[in-house]
Amino acid sequence: MLRLSRPAKIGLGLIVALVLAFLYVPLFLVVLNAFNGARIAAWPVTDFSLRWWEAAFTSEAIRLAVLNSVIVGLGATAIALLLGTLVAFALQRYSFFGKQTVNLLVVLPIALPGIVTGVALNNTYNQILEPAGIQVGYFGMIIAHATFCIVMVFNNVLARLRRLNPSVEEASMDLGARPWQTFRFITFPQFRSAFAAGGLLAFALSFDEVVVTIFTAPPGVDTLPLWIMNQMARPNEASVVNVVATVIIVASLIPVWVSQRLGRDVTER
Amino acid sequence: MGATRSGSAKREQQATASAGVSLQGVSKAFGQFVAVDSLDLEVQPGEFLSMLGPSGSGKTTVLRMIAGFEDVTRGRILLGDADVTSTPPFDRAVNTVFQDYALFPHLTIAENVAYGLRVRGVNRSDRAAAVARSLERVRLGNVADRLPHQLSGGQRQRIALARALILEPKVLLLDEPLGALDKQLREEMQVELKQIQREVGITFIFVTHDQEEALTLSDRIAVFNKGHVEQVGTATEVYEYPQTAFVAGFLGVSNLIPADHAREITGVNALISIRPERVRLSAPGTPIGQDDVAVDGVVFETVYTGPSTRYIVETERGLRLIAERHNDHHPASATAFGRGDRVRVSWTKDHASVVPAA
């Protein structure tokens, strides 16, 4: 292993401390301000209070926004899990005409700026589907999120499938397992963690999506990020946002913890 | 429902003892490449048959067709009396030991071995009893709760064997199962394989590129080359009486004497093959017996290999012959020949075999 001199160690340590501070001090400020009783958040905090917490937990608007975000996130994740996994299998297991093109088209939405996806879907919904009598409404927003969520599942599952030993599935068939048994007992357990990790990423991506959501949310429907953006425009209400952000920080730790556990699960086996 | 019905059908099928395998005009093409070319091969029930050949000779493809992993392009495969040509692998009463063992990485050893019974709906307690017996047979009862990656190569190999044998297949297919093991372990496993085969009495079809392994284990050997079988016979038959130049060359070292040289030395106008260990060396001009033939030459090179020494002798006509002598004498003794020494090379006529022209 590389041996470092003492000054080098100190120097690198400082850089690490700086980077970590840059990442986490702002988050700490958010948490601190959630308990700041003052109407306009200012430094230093003089009046610790839970008044914003009370305001946040009694707000009907926040409750609706969270509900919307969860519904959209779960819906988009479900679509992404199903379609992303199917595409990954198709591309990994079979060769067919246009395979590389399909691969590119599936991955493209994540590279495409959200503003383009948003405008494109907005136009499609409002100028083509609506005149044709099809009201996509709420579901339109879920589909919009699914377009880039699919990539998360697809990439994760594909990477895992490539690493699987194909003779293991043959061994399963050889031992008398029907195709569905082979999938259930052998194939799925081996990519389950990648499947779950892809799902978590997809949900996380959908949960804080703003740009595409602005263009595809039906009138009067706010997801949590949209609601937060609107609040920021009204400084008097901004402190409630700190409470919401704090809750989200804590909630984010759960999927991180789960995915790390899943990751460990895989390396152990 | 369908799965349960055919699953038990497979079990009933397997209740009867071992079966033979019959390949009738079997061909396999991958695009333009013909991997197996109208192959006919009869494997007797209870037989240990090795398919021996260099890589790319089609032996593994044949094995995979018998297992059902590859479609047959042309021809028929019979298992016992049943035509299984288009039967999917999960309905064939054959099981396979894979080259890389293909153990299920996420299942414990006990779960791996029990797998075939589990997918057939055998209940938990019967499964446990069968697994215990099966692990006992390969002397690995103590690793039941471990995961495959926690075992050594030799242990994994035995687990793969136990997992395949638990279903009491009519035929067991083995795809270079010892290839990944080191030499010592491989020799140990050869003995064990042979014992197990005798014990369970089922047909073993064994793919290998290792001629020594094939000679040691097999009742009969099918020598493969370029998608067809060159010769099928017992170890003695294929080794002592190779029917083609390829067989003579692939199984051990052989002196292949072209017809023009053969005519001068032995009077036989044909390609002949003589094994180096059957070739004797003596001082030039030593009288030979009535049934012997001889030719004089010069020792061109000697190769010491431990138990024996190989002498490469060049005749006056430029033919090089290899003679192998057991080192049962002291290396410094006077009977040893050295480079440049004039020697007489001889052998008993019957020990040479005529290789029919292809």
Side-chain angles (χ1 to χ4, degrees), chain A residues 206-223:
Chain A
S206 159
F207 197 77
D208 79 342
E209 214 293 326
V210 175
V211 183
V212 174
T213 318
I214 289 174
F215 284 95
T216 53
V221 174
D222 268 355
T223 61

Side-chain angles (χ1 to χ4, degrees), chain B residues 156-217:
Chain B
R156 272 182 247 181
Q157 210 280 322
R158 301 220 290 270
I159 295 304
L161 196 60
R163 183 178 70 175
L165 285 174
I166 200 169
L167 297 172
E168 292 163 16
K170 286 179 172 174
V171 177
L172 187 71
L173 308 174
L174 303 103
D175 186 7
E176 309 222 10
L178 309 181
L181 306 179
D182 59 54
K183 191 171 176 355
Q184 204 162 12
L185 197 54
R186 196 158 66 224
E187 280 165 9
E188 242 174 78
M189 281 306 301
Q190 285 174 4
V191 176
E192 203 162 318
L193 261 186
K194 191 75 194 169
Q195 275 171 352
I196 287 173
Q197 197 256 342
R198 219 168 287 145
E199 204 179 294
V200 295
I202 60 179
T203 314
F204 274 37
I205 301 180
F206 185 92
V207 161
T208 182
H209 64 265
D210 181 332
Q211 42 108 357
E212 205 177 301
E213 198 163 273
L215 292 172
T216 313
L217 290 171

Side-chain angles (χ1 to χ4, degrees), chain B residues 226-291:
Chain B
K226 293 182 182 159
H228 66 271
V229 171
E230 294 261 336
Q231 186 178 353
V232 188
T234 63
T236 322
E237 283 165 8
V238 292
Y239 186 76
E240 301 287 352
Y241 306 105
Q243 293 298 297
T244 70
F246 176 82
V247 174
F250 191 74
L251 277 123
V253 181
S254 191
N255 291 298
L256 281 174
I257 305 174
D260 52 337
H261 288 283
R263 189 176 54 240
E264 281 181 21
I265 301 169
T266 69
V268 180
N269 189 13
L271 178 67
I272 63 169
S273 159
I274 176 85
R275 295 289 175 187
E277 64 271 22
R278 305 241 176 240
V279 176
R280 293 186 298 265
L281 290 181
S282 52
T286 310
I288 54 167
Q290 208 177 2
D291 302 328

Side-chain angles (χ1 to χ4, degrees), chain B residues 56 62 95 218:
Chain B
V62 170
N95 289 116
S218 322

